[in-house]
Every structure is written in structure tokens, then in C-alpha cells.
Amino acid sequence: MQLRSLLLLLTLLCPFWSQAQDAYTIEGKIIDTASMMNMGYTSISVINQSDSLLQDFTRANEEGIFRLTVPQKGNYLLIYAHPTFANFIGEVKVDESKTDVGEVPMISKQNLLQEVIVTDARAIIIKGDTVEYAADSFKVRQFATVEELLKKLPGIEVDQKGNITAHGEKVQKMLVDGDEFFADDPAVLSKMLRAAAVDKVQVFDKKTEEAQLTGIDDGTKIKTINLTLKENAKSGYFGKIILGGGLPKYYENQLMVSAFKNKRKIAAYAITSNTNNVGLGWNDASKYGGGGAMMRMGDGEGEDGMMMMTSGGGGNELGGYNGTFSGEGLPRSINGGVHYSNKFGAKDQVNLSTDYRVNSYQLEVSKNTRTQYIMPDTQYVNNTTAYSKSSNLLNSLNGRADITIDSLSNLVVTAKGSINQAKTNSLNTANYTDMDGNLINDSRTENNNTSTTANASLDVSYRKKYKVQGRSFSATLNGSYMQRNADGSFLSENNFYTTGTAQTFNQRKTDSTLNLQSNLRFTYTEPLIKDKMYLVLNAYSNYIKNTASNLSFDRAPGGETDTLNSIYSSDYNYSIWTNSAGANLRYNINKQLKFNFGGNVAYAQYQNTNNFSGAEFSRNYLNFFPRASLNFSRNRSLNVGFNYNGSTSQPRIDQIQVMVQNTDPLNIRLGNPDLVQAFNHSFSVNFNQYKMLSETYFYGNVRYSFTQNAFSQRRDITPEGVNTYQTINLNGNWNTGVYGGYSTKIKPIKTRMGIGLNGNYNNSNSYLNSVLNTSRNTSVGLRLDLDYYKDSVIELSYNISPTYNISSSSVNALAVNKFLMTRQEFEAVYTFWKGIELGFSFNWLLREKTDAQDKNNNIFLANAFLSKSILKNRSLNIRLEGNDLFNRNVGFSRSAYDNYITESTYNNIRRYFLLKLAWNFTYSKAASGKTPGNTETEESND
């Protein structure tokens, strides 16, 4: 079946391949008009004259000769670019298989007379695979941020959450003058930087570090935006201060400042808030997590069978903050950061950057949860009421040094460190009933915990290119350290009504986890056929050592010494040593079609020691990780790709440990020392096409994956209502999905329209009371987006996205859950008399009831604001805003998995009003005393 799928894909790609073979060619030679010397390495792009769609891109060879291909006859534009010569645009008509434009003269910039200089007024220029926007060509309001500028650029979209899409793909990196700035997060930079300081906005696909080193396109790219600053803006500062307060007792204050001096950049921010805006939006969860560990191997081409360990909360009885706000509860946050970067040396050989961040965070959550369990012969309902209050103080420091040794080699050193101090108090009450409401058990549990987690890592990478094109060598050494210590109290009272028994715990619990990791990797690339075939060899060694001690002490009445409870305690050492080697063959069939296949062989040794009993067990695995990809790219705007990856997942420590945890007496987790690794096979086909002139793009993805020895669960519910679960290995787990969309600009009415479709199907196996259960979950969704924009006067946005969900379980075929969820969002901003802005938005979520007891948890969230900029330069803004005007923001979530469906309601931020004052300030050492800005307008409709 898998072979037939691959043959079918190759058949579908054959038309693309054949079109590439029948392409028309354009040839020529570039010369210097002054010296009549050949102009080697000049950049040449060819675009369709009718729609400005990029067709091909190349660079002239040492003799100035170039050759381009186009798919069909027609009229084209040739764009010639060289750093020291004036850009030149010429027309060419292609009506034969080979078109020779002859010698193309270019004029040196220093030889151009002032009176014959012609300024290229194009707002958008395509330079090879980079689309460059001249920022001054797009009107923005005075003191606008980069985010507002991006909304004006054709082909770039910014949604309500600050996510940026460029040419149909999500922007994952944003650079300033080619360098990272506050961890290159687009959401941070687009809000911090001023549009007036930007000279050009460049959009391109950033290649991987390995591809940049070797010069070989490996097909992996990241959509990136680079902001080039104006020269006068590089010596000065700008920023924003926002003060906001209102009813009932809500506040939101911000300070952001950025200072530039030549190549030195300094930035700082501070935010204090108890609204949804608790931060700038970067994702710290992967950096500051603590607790258990998940090991994975070979999850993709770039990892080459290496072993990775990621920290998480899986092995922790005493949880902690992971750096994010999910929308549940009432938050209070004070956070800030400082960034510094500079370049040193006559040729900027040393590039240094560092960031410091601090976050003080508090969260109070009240939550009610109803879970319906579907068993082979009956059904149960679990009702839980939970209250928690947590606080965290997080400090982190990151630094990076990029050192250019010579023109062919460089050294990169990256260091990161953080300390997180957390405190959590929680109170939970729960009960189990049958479907008639008869009480089976109830419990009351109280936890009070404090923890400290420290993380540190150091990475050193050396990369070297050779004079032979495509030959390269790289070596990477890194190490990481994580230590977590927690101490807390645990009090639980449980009553079981079917047996008339009771159970009480009064304990002190400690958690101590230490994780050390070091790895060394070598990669060597050798060209086998020039510009056609490359061999990539790699070798990798990784060592992980983990210790986890979870101790429970029974507290005796009268304050006597606590006694260790060995049943609910564990102390383990866990180590993994992995050695891997592999090869990858990359073959460029032609300029459009690239094939890549290879794999790694890895030998892994596992050692687990129970420090209580002295028992040891070890396992050795020999794994093979295959991978293959086929990518077709035409005109640099159409991409079709097929990918296959094989990877293993190792069981977590908490899944293996033979221990019983009693922190939730009604839900007890058991360890399973007989677990083996799981192997996952993943297939995907991707499609993306973008047309610059019409601002139209298509995208699509089809994926399928299945897992051998998947991590599933054995779940048993006793007559007393105690739920005991254990991780086991099972086969038969698979899932598939599809998504796609189309978006275009309807220019006559200045409206962008987008439609989308997505579907997912998941099949998973588990055991319920010793009966094999197969769960099937299906979801199908549609989406329609409409966006209208008229200068800086009116903005309208509307989208609707219905999703239909079905979940079923084989143990009870009659218990099928079906429900429809429909979300509608609308936003309008209108600028009228003397620049006053009026804005309104609503978010309407409709949820179908699943049974007669289901509450009406529909949400209609309406917001509005009124703002006015004053002072001569409009630098002071007064804004009145209301959130959730009708006080209808109900915290609600619903999920279905395996043999149960869960619904939760929780407290969240509801109606409030804020009055804000925002002051934008700027200073530059330009001759005029001002930062030369974009075309900034003061809108007035009087």
C-alpha cells in the first residue's frame, strides 16, 4: 500500500517534471560599460511582464554569462542587480526555444552622472528569491509600529493575535539588519519597533545553517522577514509608554524603548498587567519547563537518529509554571527584558548578543469539570471542583557569540540559563456517580508546594567550507543541566460508598530531579556530481543521565517525626547512551525537482536502577531511521513536496517507574518496566502556490502516520470508582488529516477573501477493564475569511469557522458523541472627525449540547474602543476601551478522547473598562533632528 502511494505521487508529479524539461531558455552576457570587462556573479531575475510572477533566478558565472529558463512563450522582464552597479531592468520577448539577449551593459554607480540618474520608484522589487518592499512607499500613521506597516504590504497579513503570514506561509523569524533581536520573535519585534525607522522590508525563505554552509538546498526553509533600518535611525532611540487603569480594578502598563548606534542595538521593555495582555508573546515553555523527561530519536531529517530529552511535567507530582497563559483563571504579571547586541572588528568578525528576562507571574483558577467514562457494560460520571493559586518568579539570561575566523569558517557559541521559583496551593473536591446520579465515592484533596528549577546549556559549533563548492565540515558540542527541587504537603480524605470504607492521607512530599546531557555531532558533505549530487555523512554520540527521587512521608499526630512511606515513594537513576551514524544522498534532478533519501543507524544503551531495592535492568536497541523526500519547485512560487520520516519515541521515566502515586487518590498511575520504544512512520504531501501580482495563494497538506508499539493505556475502574491506569505498548494506532485553502485579493472592492478546509481522523487502541477498546475521533471544519481595508480610514474583518466532531468507542457502540461548534469573529475600525478612531469587535462561539444535562455554554464576546491622538505630532494617544461589554465571556472547554468526553468551565477575565494614555517618543541624530520616517499621515475627515 505504501509503495502504491509513492508510485501514485510520482505519477502526479510527472506533468510538472515534463514541463520543466520543455522550458524555454534566455541567455546573455553582462559587461561593464566603462572597462568593457565581464561582470561575473551579477544577480539576474526574470519575471512575467503580465503578472510580475517570478519565473527564474540565477547568477552570472565568472565570465558574465548567464542562462535562465521560463515555462512558455511570452513577454518578460529581466532584472539585473550588482552591489556596485546601478540596477537595470530590461524587456525580452520569448518566442523560440532559445533567446539570446546578447551583451547587457551595466553602469558603475560611481560613474553615473547626477543628471542621468534614474530613481527606481518601484515599491516592490524582486531580487532573486527575496521580495523587497520600500517602506516609504506605503503610508502609515505617525508613530505607527512595524505591525501596522506590515498590514499595508501586499502579500503580508497580520491577524488579530499578531501572527504574521507572508506569501501564504507563516513568518517564523524576524531579523533586524540581518541579526536576531529579542530571540527573533515576530510578535515581539512587530510591536516594539517603529515603522518610521524602517528602510526596507525583505521577505525570503531562510535556509538551514547546514544549507547555508554547504550551498546545497536541502528543501528545509523558514519564512523570514528582515527589517533594514535607515542610516539616520541607527543613531538614536524611540519607544512607547502606556499607562492604563480602569474598572473593576484592572490595569495594563507598558514601557518599550529601543536605542541604536551604528551596529549596536539596545532594547528594553517592561509590562505589568492583570488583563489578557500579560506578555509580548514569545514562547518560553520549551526553555523553562521542569520535571519529567521524554526521549525521542530521529524525528526528522535534521536529527539523524540522535537522542533528545525534553523537560516537561510528566514525572512531577509537584507541578510548576511553564511560562504561558492559557486563558484559564485570573492572571497578574510583571515582566521585562533587556537586549544588547553589537558587532566588533574591522569586518564585523565578532557578533555578540545577549538577552535578560524576568517574569513575576500569579494565577488564580477556579474550575469545574465533568468527565463521562464509557465502559464495556456501564458508564460513570466524574465531577471535579478545583481551586488553585500559583505564583512564579522566572529569571533567564541568554548569550550568543558568532565569530568569523576567516572567509571559509566560523565559530558560534551559545549559552542559556534560567531559574524559576514557583509556589502552588490547590484544593480539589471530586466524586464518581453512575448515570442515575447514585454516589459511588467522593474525595477532598489539598496540596501546597514550593519548587525551584534551574536550567543551563552551552552549545559550541564550528563550521568550515572548502574551496570545492558543496564540500563542508561541521562539528557541534553541547551540554545541558537541569535541576529541580520541590517540597510540599498533601492532605486527602476519600470515602467509598459501595464498600462503606474510607481512606485518609496526611503526607509531606519531596521531589528532586537532576538531568545532565552532553552530545557531540560531526557532519561532512561531499559533492559527487557538480550541482547535481551530494553525499552527506554524519556521526553522533549522546549521553543522558537522569536521577529522580519522589519521596512521601507520613505525618504522625502530635508533630512527631515524619515516616517514609515506601509504597508511595521512588528513587531512580536512568541513563541513555546513544551512538549514531548515517548517510544522506541529495540529487538535484533539475532546477525544479530534488530528491533526497538516506537514513541513520543508532545503537542505544539504557540503564535503570532502583535505589531503594537495588534492582537494575538494562536494554539495548539497534535502530534504523529511514527518510526520503521529493520536492518540486517551479517559478519559485509553486512548491510540491513529499516527505517520509521514521522515528522512535522512548518511554518517559514516570511511565517506567514501578511506583504508585497517590496525589489524586481516585486516579492512580502505575509504572510499567516492560515498556519498549515506539516507532512512528510519518508520510506527508505539501502544496503551496503564490502569485505576487494578484496576491493569490493556494496551500494544502495531506498526512498519514501510524505507530508500532504505540504508547497506549490500560485503564481499570473498580466498583468503588477508583481509576487505575498504566502505559502499555499496542499496535493499530494511526491518524490521518488534510487541510487546504485559497486566498485572493478582490482589488475592485479592496477586499481579501480566503476559504479553508480541514479534516482529521484518529484511530487509537486501549484496554478498558481488560477489554480491547478502539476509539475513533473525527473532525471536519470549514473557514471563510473576509478582510476590507481602505487607506487609514476603515478596516473590516470577518471570519466564520464551523467544526463538526464525532467520537465513538467500540466498548459501547451506542455511546456516540456528536457536536457542532461554530465560531464567528468580526472586527471594525473607523477613523472619522479629526482623526478619532472608533473600533468594535465580537467573538461569537456556538456549541451544540451533547446531552440533556449539558449547560448552554455559548459565548458572545463584544469589545469596543474610542481613541484620539493629540499634540502637534500626534505622539500622545488617549484611548477608552471596553472588554466583554455584555459580560458573556464564559470559560468553557470540551474534548473527547479514547473512552471519555470531558467538559470544563472555569473563571476567566470578564467585563472591564480601561482608560489608556500612550506616549510615543523618538530621537535621532539626523541633521533635521528627526528620524526620517515613512510617509506618515494624519487622517482627518472633517
Side-chain angles (χ1 to χ4, degrees), residues 115-130:
E115 59 267 26
V116 299
I117 293 180
V118 178
T119 302
D120 185 359
R122 287 175 176 260
I124 306 174
I125 299 176
I126 300 174
K127 295 182 176 180
D129 57 356
T130 299

Side-chain angles (χ1 to χ4, degrees), residues 283-559:
N283 182 10
D284 284 334
S286 63
K287 301 176 183 177
Y288 309 121
M294 166 71 86
M295 281 69 68
R296 303 176 61 226
M297 292 184 69
D299 189 20
E301 176 184 336
E303 295 177 8
D304 298 322
M306 63 177 151
M307 179 72 67
M308 299 176 64
M309 175 173 281
T310 57
S311 298
N316 262 318
E317 295 187 16
L318 312 177
Y321 170 60
N322 67 359
T324 60
F325 173 56
S326 64
E328 295 186 8
L330 303 176
R332 285 191 298 168
S333 175
I334 301 175
N335 63 78
V338 179
H339 168 87
Y340 170 85
S341 64
N342 205 349
K343 295 181 179 180
F344 303 92
K347 298 182 180 180
D348 301 333
Q349 299 96 323
V350 180
N351 187 356
L352 298 177
S353 64
T354 184
D355 297 304
Y356 169 73
R357 295 172 182 171
V358 60
N359 188 341
S360 176
Y361 187 86
Q362 297 181 20
L363 183 64
E364 187 172 354
V365 181
S366 296
K367 188 172 185 178
N368 295 307
T369 301
R370 181 180 185 271
T371 302
Q372 181 177 337
Y373 292 95
I374 304 169
M375 304 304 294
D377 54 351
T378 186
Q379 297 185 41
Y380 293 95
V381 175
N382 174 228
N383 298 288
T384 303
T385 299
Y387 170 81
S388 66
K389 187 174 183 180
S390 60
S391 62
N392 296 265
L393 177 61
L394 176 66
N395 289 271
S396 66
L397 180 65
N398 304 324
R400 176 185 170 105
D402 197 328
I403 304 168
T404 301
I405 301 173
D406 53 42
S407 61
L408 297 176
S409 58
N410 76 314
L411 182 70
V412 179
V413 181
T414 304
K416 300 178 181 181
S418 68
I419 296 179
N420 184 36
Q421 297 172 295
K423 182 178 181 180
T424 303
N425 306 103
S426 65
L427 176 63
N428 297 343
T429 58
N431 65 67
Y432 269 87
T433 67
D434 58 25
M435 296 304 294
D436 295 326
N438 299 314
L439 193 63
I440 298 174
N441 64 45
D442 62 29
S443 68
R444 182 183 185 278
T445 304
E446 183 177 352
N447 281 282
N448 298 284
N449 309 308
T450 59
S451 66
T452 300
T453 304
N455 286 275
S457 66
L458 178 66
D459 299 292
V460 181
S461 297
Y462 171 76
R463 303 181 181 93
K464 181 176 178 59
K465 294 191 292 185
Y466 296 87
K467 293 183 179 180
V468 177
Q469 183 179 357
R471 180 180 295 169
S472 66
F473 170 79
S474 66
T476 302
L477 173 65
N478 58 63
S480 64
Y481 161 89
M482 188 280 291
Q483 184 169 15
R484 183 179 188 276
N485 294 298
D487 190 283
S489 61
F490 170 67
L491 181 63
S492 178
E493 299 174 356
N494 309 277
N495 299 298
F496 304 97
Y497 295 102
T498 57
T499 59
T501 59
Q503 186 182 47
T504 301
F505 295 102
N506 183 6
Q507 295 178 331
R508 180 174 68 89
K509 291 182 176 291
T510 64
D511 173 17
S512 179
T513 303
L514 175 65
N515 175 255
L516 300 174
Q517 181 171 345
S518 61
N519 53 67
L520 177 64
R521 182 184 182 190
F522 300 99
T523 303
Y524 177 77
T525 303
E526 178 66 24
L528 301 180
I529 303 176
K530 185 178 180 180
D531 297 330
K532 277 288 187 180
M533 185 179 293
Y534 304 87
L535 179 65
V536 182
L537 304 175
N538 70 82
Y540 180 88
S541 181
N542 183 65
Y543 181 74
I544 299 172
K545 181 179 180 181
N546 194 87
T547 63
S549 176
N550 297 275
L551 305 180
S552 298
F553 299 89
D554 294 326
R555 286 180 168 172

